[in-house]
Amino acid sequence: MSATSGAFDDLAANDVDNLIHPFTDLVAHRTLGPTIIVRGEGVRVYDADDNEYIEGVSGIWSASLGFSEQRLVDAAVAQLQALPNYHAVAHRSSPPVIELATRLTELAPHDAAKVLFTGSGSEANDALCRVIWYVNNAQGRPEKKKVFAHDRGYHGATVWTAGLTGLSSSHQGFEGPAPLPGIVHVASPDAHQVAEPGETPDEFAIRLVDAVERRILAEGPETVAAFFAEPVLGAAGVVIPPPAYYPLLGAMLDCHDVLLVADEVITGFGRTGRLWGSEAVGLAPAACTFAKAISGGFAPIAAVTLGPQLAEPLVEQSGALGGFNLGFTFGGHPVSAAVANAAIDLTLQRDLPRRAAELGRALSVGLRDLMDISIVQEARSVGLLGALDLAPRRATDPEIADARRLVAAVASAAEAEGLFVRAAGTAVAVCPPLVITADDLEELLARLGRALRSVAAGAHSQGSRDDDLAGR
Ligand code: PMP
């Protein structure tokens, strides 16, 4: 259903000629061409031929309020008319940015003292690392700089955050397989791929946290600054850690004076059935990063919240040095901030976390029901964030490449059924807008079921426009 007919032929040709599509096989794109989306309505988007798709992954995990929320449009228009562009550099400010900072310090899943705005999730994670280094330098421990992160975690596409990302596909062709110096990857809390046979969830959590502790001791705790963690690992295939994992990890990291920080870029703003993913998994962060649903995905904006142990020394050091010299032109954009304020209002007024929890039960049951299809190995979800694993494998299984092709084939078959899902490693991920109705969720699951059955029956060829996806 790639839409390239009539007046859109030129558009499609110009797309292929001129656009570099992120996370896309650009050679395959020459033949597959773009799916050009021209409008959105609720949880649906429409292509240039007016084919309808349920956006089962909210764009890139972001459109929590759907694709036509008038209150977000109104907030953007009002702010565009009042002040379309400003910034937060050199003491300048604007009302929506101040309001958003105040709300985030109140709402964040930790004792948050200050907020720094950026334009994207990658920039937020990048900036947070630099803040931690700045503070450690200020506190006279310049050697405390290493950062830990999970295998298969995703944290961004800048040099440093791609480094933090534990997906080999993010490194392939760029810096190479070796992690950047100063970054340490540890096992993902993924019971499906990493747990030993017969291991209970608690035993699994204890084993992983022990391994992290041994690695910290081997590196030297005085050299380890922070652990960056997604509460639920999205791009890894919606990895939901065992309940004991984050509480144990946090307590252990405290003993070694290593900060645990939460990348809430996917999990924030109700997705997991709680306002924050951290709350859903018992993660007590010292700092957080937010993006995507912060504005319902209607405007690019991201944020870093800092606990007092980071914020206070940062402020003092900026005084000593005559400036905190880190920031972005669009870090504090008034239009994005106004949209984010409206999105947070709607999220709270409509109690979308509760809605995600309630509908999440239907998603969980619906995904489990699909396990009768031969290629489905596991179903898991938390709130309105779920995934199906599609092949029998452990991390070392040589079949893994085939599983990925299978996932790509299902994503492509789903598109033909009028459903966008995400190829996330060996899993198909779903993450619909939080405003989805029960009927539309049922329809989403029906379309996904048809796509899975057609691939299981060999009716849909493997390899597709999603073949390239690393799982971002
Ligand atoms: N962190 C997580 C958990 C993400 O999923 C992503 C993007 N999918 C990012 C960070 C990076 O955000 P951005 O693409 O806005 O830079």
Side-chain angles (χ1 to χ4, degrees):
M1 283 216 281
S2 149
T4 55
S5 70
F8 286 92
D9 280 351
D10 283 352
L11 212 49
N14 287 340
D15 175 294
V16 172
D17 284 351
N18 298 303
L19 197 53
I20 292 182
H21 287 267
F23 296 87
T24 300
D25 176 339
L26 296 165
V27 172
H29 188 66
R30 287 188 197 134
T31 25
L32 293 170
T35 300
I36 302 175
I37 301 299
V38 294
R39 66 188 177 89
E41 180 67 43
V43 300
R44 290 173 163 77
V45 293
Y46 296 82
D47 71 18
D49 289 332
D50 216 29
N51 293 309
E52 166 263 352
Y53 305 84
I54 294 178
E55 232 315 345
V57 73
S58 300
I60 301 279
W61 325 86
S62 65
S64 55
L65 296 159
F67 291 85
S68 54
E69 177 50 61
Q70 190 59 39
R71 280 177 62 183
L72 299 188
V73 176
D74 293 344
V77 170
Q79 187 57 42
L80 280 164
Q81 284 166 341
L83 180 71
N85 173 11
Y86 221 64
H87 62 87
V89 172
H91 309 281
R92 306 292 205 287
S93 205
S94 62
V97 171
I98 300 167
E99 185 189 335
L100 184 58
T102 308
R103 301 189 78 179
L104 285 175
T105 49
E106 284 164 11
L107 288 173
H110 66 111
D111 176 17
K114 294 247 183 243
V115 180
L116 173 70
F117 290 113
T118 69
S120 70
S122 303
E123 288 173 358
N125 285 324
D126 212 304
L128 177 52
C129 278
R130 296 195 75 211
V131 162
I132 292 168
W133 295 340
Y134 187 84
V135 166
N136 284 350
N137 285 336
Q139 292 177 330
R141 39 190 201 172
E143 74 291 354
K144 201 166 173 69
K145 294 271 168 53
K146 289 178 193 161
V147 181
F148 278 44
H150 287 124
D151 275 342
R152 292 163 50 230
Y154 187 90
H155 297 291
T158 60
V159 172
W160 184 257
T161 60
L164 279 184
T165 293
L167 291 159
S168 56
S169 50
S170 275
H171 307 292
Q172 192 182 22
F174 293 100
E175 59 280 1
L180 293 183
I183 292 176
V184 176
H185 287 123
V186 296
S188 177
D190 180 353
H192 187 59
Q193 292 197 23
V194 183
E196 301 287 356
E199 206 170 32
T200 66
D202 281 357
E203 288 165 352
F204 177 46
I206 291 167
R207 178 167 66 79
L208 289 195
V209 173
D210 280 352
V212 177
E213 182 165 37
R214 278 199 305 278
R215 187 65 195 265
I216 289 173
L217 292 170
E219 296 288 335
E222 70 290 352
T223 70
V224 184
F227 192 126
F228 270 61
E230 296 166 85
V232 174
L233 286 76
V238 186
V239 169
I240 304 165
Y245 177 69
Y246 278 123
L248 286 173
L249 183 69
M252 182 277 289
L253 293 175
D254 265 356
C255 296
H256 298 292
D257 195 15
V258 174
L259 298 175
L260 176 57
V261 305
D263 177 336
E264 290 267 5
V265 168
I266 287 182
T267 51
F269 304 97
R271 173 57 56 192
T272 61
R274 304 290 296 266
L275 187 55
W276 308 117
S278 292
E279 294 168 339
V281 299
L283 192 167
C288 288
T289 55
F290 310 94
K292 298 190 189 279
I294 187 171
S295 64
F298 274 46
I301 181 166
V304 181
T305 52
L306 303 176
Q309 74 274 48
L310 288 168
E312 285 162 16
L314 180 153
V315 169
E316 292 312 314
Q317 179 72 344
S318 78
L321 297 180
F324 172 65
N325 295 324
L326 185 167
F328 304 89
T329 304
F330 295 137
H333 194 284
V335 178
S336 296
V339 174
N341 286 322
I344 293 172
D345 279 345
L346 289 172
T347 301
L348 299 179
Q349 283 163 12
R350 296 181 183 165
D351 202 354
L352 292 184
R354 189 176 51 81
R355 189 186 169 77
E358 282 167 11
L359 284 171
R361 286 190 269 283
L363 177 65
S364 166
V365 170
L367 290 175
R368 273 173 213 293
D369 284 350
L370 296 172
M371 287 183 68
D372 65 359
I373 302 170
S374 61
I375 56 173
V376 180
Q377 303 301 311
E378 201 203 41
R380 52 181 176 266
S381 65
V382 53
L384 282 175
L385 183 58
L388 295 174
D389 253 300
L390 290 193
R393 95 215 64 81
R394 299 180 60 76
T396 52
D397 193 323
E399 280 181 36
I400 199 154
D402 292 336
R404 288 189 175 184
R405 274 199 287 279
L406 199 59
V407 167
V410 169
S412 168
E415 188 170 330
E417 291 289 342
L419 170 67
F420 289 132
V421 290
R422 196 93 196 124
T426 57
V428 171
V430 288
C431 172
L434 304 183
V435 294
I436 194 167
T437 61
D439 284 352
D440 279 341
L441 185 58
E442 207 175 300
E443 178 61 22
L444 181 160
L445 288 161
R447 292 182 190 188
L448 181 56
R450 287 199 293 275
L452 288 160
R453 284 191 184 89
S454 80
V455 172
H460 204 95
S461 67
Q462 294 192 10
S464 73
R465 69 179 61 239
D466 291 308
D467 203 16
D468 49 290
L469 292 178
R472 176 173 178 271

